[in-house]
Amino acid sequence: MSTRALLLVNRNSRQGQERYQEVINCLNRLGLTIIAESTEDATQLGKFIRHYQKEIDLVIIGGGDGTLNAAIEAIIETQLPLGILPLGTANDLARTLAIPNSLPEACKIIAAGKLRRIDLGWVNNKYFFNVASLGLSVNITQQLTKEIKRRWGIFAYAVIALQVIWKSRPFSAEIRINDQSFLVKTVQIAVGNGRYYGGGMAVVHDAAIDDQRLDLYSLEIDHWWQILPLLPAMRRGRHIQWPYVRALYGQQITVYTRKPHSINTDGEITTYTPAIFRVIPQAIAIFVPDV
């Protein structure tokens, strides 16, 4: 009996519409029996997963990090294995898991069947794969339209970031972690479950998506230009070694601010401070390369 897979493709993702049939053909050639659904509304993905859960062995999602995030709750609930086809702009979860952007190669990884259980982040009842953050990243998210992402691709993050950085102003926050409290003046607080976010930036150089911890950094600069020398180090996750970057880690983190600040989870604004962050160990299984 062949493996039965539910294929869900976000037609609004950067490559979703144009590569939809190519994906189906590729998976069929590899011997999978495919039930295919596509949508322009990622919030519908959970409904499809719950509807087909008794007819399938696994779920395959084609899209970017926002599309994958929209399906988290249904994946947790059904505990179906998840295959990833990177069809978005940043594809940071795929990057963390070493899943290539080549669709034929990504399809082969799913067909090969190697599974890895990964942790999830959680903040105020919202799950996330990669990073939850407040400050600069929220401003970037607010300006990063679908049109800009389609036009510039992965470079859209850098283009918008440079526009946002020079307008940045510090805000006050209290961070509570491991029975300690830190009062900070910061332009960004990022809490990472995986390694990559924001189009290939690394939270911490040694972060892993199954290390059962959250990694936090707080960017405590006074002037916008101080971030510029940091940018190359942020690509490698080495910014935590700089004097005005605070790095902490733990399994639960609480952040308070004087007034509510929006929080970005996997590229979508979903909640506000005050915020409680937790790691959910080994929450779901994902198909990964055999390396």
Side-chain angles (χ1 to χ4, degrees):
M1 185 175 176
S2 64
T3 301
R4 301 161 303 172
L6 172 62
L7 170 65
L8 300 173
V9 173
N10 181 359
R11 293 198 301 271
N12 271 334
S13 63
R14 190 160 187 260
Q15 305 174 65
Q17 181 71 44
E18 61 192 70
R19 307 197 71 177
Y20 181 55
Q21 191 59 50
E22 177 188 347
V23 166
I24 294 173
N25 294 340
C26 184
L27 293 168
N28 281 332
R29 285 195 299 270
L30 290 165
L32 279 72
T33 299
I34 301 298
I35 299 171
E37 296 279 4
S38 67
T39 180
E40 293 183 355
D41 181 3
T43 63
Q44 298 299 305
L45 298 181
K47 179 185 74 173
F48 288 128
I49 293 168
R50 294 180 181 99
H51 176 76
Y52 288 109
Q53 62 179 301
K54 297 189 183 301
E55 303 174 38
I56 58 175
D57 303 303
L58 62 127
V59 176
I60 301 170
I61 296 179
D65 295 299
T67 302
L68 290 162
N69 186 283
I72 287 183
E73 290 192 11
I75 294 293
I76 294 171
E77 180 183 319
T78 61
Q79 282 298 300
L80 287 161
L82 175 62
I84 297 174
L85 299 177
L87 294 175
T89 303
N91 302 311
D92 285 306
L93 178 59
R95 183 181 284 106
T96 292
L97 295 170
I99 297 169
N101 283 333
S102 163
L103 280 186
E105 292 303 314
C107 290
K108 287 177 185 176
I109 287 167
I110 296 167
K114 178 179 173 57
L115 287 168
R116 175 181 174 186
R117 293 203 71 87
I118 68 165
D119 307 335
L120 290 175
W122 178 100
V123 53
N124 293 356
N125 291 314
K126 178 63 182 174
Y127 294 98
F128 60 94
F129 286 108
N130 302 320
V131 167
S133 55
L134 56 151
L136 282 177
S137 61
V138 169
N139 297 331
I140 292 169
T141 296
Q142 289 170 332
Q143 296 190 38
L144 199 61
T145 64
K146 288 186 176 72
E147 292 72 24
I148 290 173
K149 288 197 285 187
R150 286 184 186 278
R151 180 177 180 184
W152 295 99
I154 195 68
F155 299 106
Y157 289 85
V159 170
I160 297 300
L162 290 173
Q163 293 177 11
V164 166
I165 285 168
W166 74 274
K167 297 179 183 177
S168 64
R169 298 291 182 272
F171 61 92
S172 297
E174 179 186 2
I175 302 168
R176 294 183 184 177
I177 182 171
N178 301 331
D179 297 322
Q180 293 182 290
S181 176
F182 302 91
L183 298 176
V184 303
K185 192 174 181 182
T186 182
V187 296
Q188 166 138 311
I189 295 172
V191 178
N193 173 57
R195 179 172 300 183
Y196 295 107
Y197 73 106
M201 310 287 274
V203 182
V204 181
H205 66 281
D206 64 347
I209 203 163
D210 55 1
D211 58 9
Q212 301 187 24
R213 79 181 197 196
L214 297 175
D215 293 284
L216 175 149
Y217 77 79
S218 171
L219 189 52
E220 298 168 14
I221 60 174
D222 296 315
H223 307 286
W224 68 268
W225 47 262
Q226 290 175 295
I227 198 174
L228 298 180
L230 267 178
L231 294 176
M234 292 180 79
R235 298 291 298 180
R236 304 188 306 274
R238 296 287 182 178
H239 54 290
I240 63 168
Q241 299 167 349
W242 287 61
Y244 37 82
V245 177
R246 186 186 305 271
L248 304 165
Y249 66 87
Q251 293 186 319
Q252 179 166 312
I253 301 166
T254 306
V255 175
Y256 300 94
T257 54
R258 290 177 181 171
K259 61 179 183 178
H261 278 251
S262 301
I263 295 176
N264 167 3
T265 55
D266 289 342
E268 305 291 334
I269 297 169
T270 54
T271 187
Y272 302 87
T273 56
I276 299 174
F277 302 82
R278 296 190 183 114
V279 63
I280 313 298
Q282 298 188 334
I284 63 173
I286 296 187
F287 293 98
V288 295
D290 188 8
V291 292

